[in-house]
Amino acid sequence: VLLVEDWPMGSLKLVKTGLVNETCSDNPSETKVLSGVEFTLKKVKADLSVDTSFRAITVVTDSNGEADFTQLPTGTYEITETGTVDNYILKSDKYYVTINADGTNNGLKDADGNNVSGNTIVNDLPRTDIEILKVNLDDNNEKLPGSTYGLFEKDAEDNLKKIAESTTDSEGVLRFEGVIPDKEYTIKELVAPNGYYVSENPITITYEVDRTGKLV
């Protein structure tokens, strides 16, 4: 008599998204799903060292931003991001999931043991701040507070859409935080300081990413 026991196998589905808006925008936490991001899963021992007897599995996120790892035996697994897309920054974080004896799991966790909400891993883009000093045209040593500027980008119909506003401080400085690459920004004055005219000379600026992933 041959007895065959079917051990339950587990699975994990994670979701990959990326931030899309500037930090200074009204909705800085908005995301989109990212397809084509590569994740690698390895089995680990109790001390979290890699179990070399298990062959690593690599999965790429689909059009819904999902990566499915299936047919996983009981044990603990380490998941890392091993390939990214577009300008998104490759995450170096390690994540873990434990497959229980009945094939269930308790969700994706970070290296500190905290639950990853919705099994969703969010990537960010390279960012920088735009800083402008407002001075008197006739006397560059005179700083001008109280000047309000808008940060704009072009929409699908090539019209300027305002992303954010910023007003110069007591030192004449204004800042737009967390702008991102490959966007053409237009900066123009909306409200001038008392006694001055609104500037009719908008500024256009675009940032690109160099080979190291930094904005230039």
Side-chain angles (χ1 to χ4, degrees):
V1 177
L2 177 64
L3 298 179
V4 178
E5 187 168 2
D6 186 15
W7 292 96
M9 303 290 276
S11 63
L12 171 72
K13 177 182 288 186
L14 62 83
V15 180
K16 187 63 175 179
T17 64
L19 295 167
V20 296
N21 291 336
E22 295 75 10
T23 305
C24 58
S25 71
D26 292 334
N27 190 9
S29 59
E30 182 180 353
T31 61
K32 67 176 182 180
V33 297
L34 297 180
S35 61
V37 178
E38 181 185 273
F39 286 92
T40 298
L41 176 144
K42 299 177 182 179
K43 194 171 187 180
V44 295
K45 302 175 183 179
D47 63 356
L48 299 184
S49 62
V50 175
D51 182 351
T52 55
S53 66
F54 179 87
R55 186 175 180 178
I57 301 171
T58 297
V59 173
V60 175
T61 55
D62 60 19
S63 59
N64 296 315
E66 297 177 348
D68 289 315
F69 294 96
T70 60
Q71 296 296 302
L72 301 177
T74 300
T76 299
Y77 297 86
E78 173 192 280
I79 300 99
T80 55
E81 184 176 317
T82 47
T84 187
V85 293
D86 301 330
N87 290 319
Y88 284 93
I89 300 169
L90 184 74
K91 294 184 76 73
S92 59
D93 307 64
K94 293 181 178 181
Y95 301 90
Y96 297 91
V97 64
T98 297
I99 304 298
N100 303 315
D102 61 357
T104 62
N105 70 74
N106 298 325
L108 192 66
K109 299 183 183 298
D110 64 21
D112 295 322
N114 301 310
N115 291 323
V116 177
S117 179
N119 287 358
T120 300
I121 299 174
V122 183
N123 273 36
D124 199 2
L125 291 159
R127 296 178 183 272
T128 191
D129 297 340
I130 296 175
E131 187 173 290
I132 294 174
L133 175 63
K134 181 73 171 181
V135 297
N136 187 331
L137 180 63
D138 297 323
D139 180 4
N140 291 173
N141 292 318
E142 182 185 353
K143 312 299 189 295
L144 299 179
S147 174
T148 300
Y149 277 78
L151 180 69
F152 297 81
E153 66 173 339
K154 291 182 179 179
D155 61 19
E157 298 175 350
D158 219 27
N159 298 315
L160 287 179
K161 177 183 70 174
K162 188 172 68 174
I163 300 171
E165 287 186 12
S166 181
T167 301
T168 55
D169 61 18
S170 60
E171 298 299 320
V173 175
L174 67 82
R175 182 179 291 104
F176 292 108
E177 297 180 342
V179 298
I180 55 183
D182 295 339
K183 280 190 179 183
E184 182 180 274
Y185 294 105
T186 298
I187 305 162
K188 60 180 181 178
E189 191 171 30
L190 305 176
V191 179
N194 290 333
Y196 291 87
Y197 293 109
V198 172
S199 173
E200 298 181 355
N201 299 310
I203 302 167
T204 301
I205 186 170
T206 301
Y207 292 98
E208 297 178 354
V209 178
D210 66 14
R211 288 180 295 179
T212 67
K214 294 183 179 181
L215 283 181
V216 293

